[in-house]
């Protein structure tokens, strides 16, 4: 998808090539509060900083105060405020980076929230240092590399069935039951009725040919 | 609880004081495959190494091969094999460290598996660098510090109600809905019928008295 905006959340700043590339290519970057500090330290200027400004450095709050969009309500986290803001501006195709890698409850929350963003109409993916989370509804097909590892996390889907995966799927309910699957070819399909989350582990580099 | 055994999983090696202390005090340590390398590098000797030996270094596989307990079946991960082994040896009170911090699907899986271990009779907790995951059934009470952050992740519980927490609970179904709560006093209770997971964020150090 052609990303319209990138949300830099306030987990660990990305280090893997793909999320860094997405951030570098972004036409519009919203930083979540303290996440702005490292983005600025890396020589960039956010288009917008979302949050209540309590975790950004004093210096950056002064210098970039005009970019700070304060949303006082406490019911949602900064990642959600950023996505909601983008949706209100008509930006639907959103990539999220920096959403994981610190407190595990924040990681769980940020990943789980992808389902809400999909329901709100966003075409959204989270790129971590290890792979890509894609919220899905009903039957979906993905391109992949042979041997690429994939995990499916069920939310409310029934009649789950995988085509092109090493292990078939079932109507599992516990998260781990769909983890650690593997692609057979260059495409796989998940047949389902309902919502689930796909994690595509970044493919390992192919062995160099010796010819 | 008095821990009978510690499982060192093969996520990130712990760096926070509490998981490192638990590892140092452990009466019995089971390392999951490659996790053994860093434990040995830190000057320790595992009591047992569980796995198929495919991610431990060649050197350690030779030197500590007598400690390697190979379990060939592919249906469970090494963390689960380690817990099942301990349960089969009558060791029920288990702490898990090093279970998070690498691939997020592994993190989700390892955390989710705590519910299965509880069902199998284990008294188990996972200690990360950020806090403690505790699988729970029905009404439970916890000691805490005022202001300590707590997240509740619902699996199949109903009639959820929190006492001693800033935000009351409801019968939420999406993971994030119970995250980012906070203790009011030195104890909180979760009333519930069914299973859920509690994450207790490590308390921030108390401000030093100036007297």
């Amino acid at each position: 998808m052609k990303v319209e905006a990138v949300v830099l959340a306030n987990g660990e700043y990305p280090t893997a090539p793909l999320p860094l590339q997405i951030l570098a290519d972004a036409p519009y970057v919203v930083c979540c509060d303290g996440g702005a500090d490292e983005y600025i330290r890396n020589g960039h200027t956010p288009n917008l900083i979302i949050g209540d400004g309590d975790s950004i450095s004093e210096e950056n709050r002064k210098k970039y105060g005009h970019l700070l969009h304060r949303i006082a309500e406490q019911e949602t986290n900064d990642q959600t405020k950023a996505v909601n803001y983008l949706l209100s501006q008509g930006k639907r195709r959103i990539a999220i980076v920096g959403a994981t890698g610190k407190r595990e409850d924040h990681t769980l929350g940020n990943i789980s929230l992808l389902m809400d963003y999909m329901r709100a109409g966003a075409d959204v993916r989270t790129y971590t240092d290890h792979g890509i989370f894609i919220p899905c509804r009903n039957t979906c097909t993905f391109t992949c590399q042979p041997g690429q590892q994939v995990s499916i996390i069920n939310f409310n889907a029934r009649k789950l069935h995988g085509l092109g995966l090493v292990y078939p799927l079932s109507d599992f309910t516990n998260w781990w039951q769909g983890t650690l699957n593997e692609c057979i070819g260059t495409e796989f399909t998940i047949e389902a009725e309902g919502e689930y989350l796909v994690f595509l582990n970044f493919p390992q580099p192919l062995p160099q040919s010796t010819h």
Side-chain angles (χ1 to χ4, degrees), chain A:
Chain A
M1 70 173 180
K2 186 153 167 46
V3 165
E4 291 171 293
V6 173
V7 174
L8 174 62
N10 44 21
E12 291 276 4
Y13 199 84
T15 61
L18 183 57
L20 285 174
Q21 192 62 46
I22 283 167
L23 202 50
D25 294 344
Y28 191 91
V29 174
V30 181
C31 291
C32 293
D33 218 347
D37 281 335
E38 187 136 358
Y39 188 63
I40 292 165
R41 195 179 308 127
N42 281 283
H44 308 291
T45 303
N47 295 91
L48 199 75
I49 303 170
I50 291 257
D52 47 15
D54 58 357
S55 65
I56 193 171
S57 73
E58 185 62 30
E59 185 190 341
N60 284 332
R61 192 164 50 232
K62 279 184 186 153
K63 195 166 166 194
Y64 297 95
H66 59 293
L67 302 177
L68 188 59
H69 186 74
R70 278 198 182 81
I71 300 171
E73 59 101 349
Q74 297 286 314
E75 291 298 301
T76 57
N77 71 5
D78 288 342
Q79 178 183 282
T80 299
K81 287 172 185 163
V83 169
N84 287 344
Y85 174 84
L86 290 169
L87 289 175
S88 78
Q89 301 294 306
K91 293 180 165 64
R92 282 184 58 250
R93 295 196 299 277
I94 300 167
I96 300 173
V97 300
T100 64
K102 286 186 179 167
R103 275 174 56 177
E104 290 86 0
D105 55 340
H106 289 190
T107 291
L108 289 177
N110 283 341
I111 290 170
S112 161
L113 281 160
L114 289 174
M115 309 312 287
D116 285 14
Y117 307 156
M118 173 178 69
R119 290 171 201 146
D123 183 359
V124 61
R125 294 172 173 210
T126 289
Y127 296 81
T128 80
D129 279 346
H130 307 283
I132 311 170
F133 280 101
I134 310 169
C136 304
R137 185 186 288 121
N138 303 334
T139 297
C140 294
T141 296
F142 306 83
T143 56
C144 56
Q145 292 189 10
Q148 189 171 1
Q149 293 194 286
V150 57
S151 291
I152 292 99
I153 299 141
N154 193 10
F155 277 72
N156 58 31
R158 288 160 175 268
K159 304 188 184 172
L160 276 162
H161 182 64
L163 301 170
L165 297 174
V166 171
Y167 304 103
L169 298 168
S170 58
D171 281 3
F172 52 81
T173 53
N174 207 349
W175 306 337
W176 69 266
Q177 291 174 283
T179 60
L180 310 189
N181 215 323
E182 194 178 310
C183 304
I184 295 171
T186 56
E187 189 180 282
F188 70 94
T189 295
I190 297 170
E191 297 178 333
E193 294 178 9
E195 296 172 338
Y196 55 97
L197 193 58
V198 167
F199 179 78
L200 266 173
N201 190 43
F202 291 141
Q204 302 304 308
L206 294 171
Q208 294 289 320
S209 167
T210 52
H211 296 291

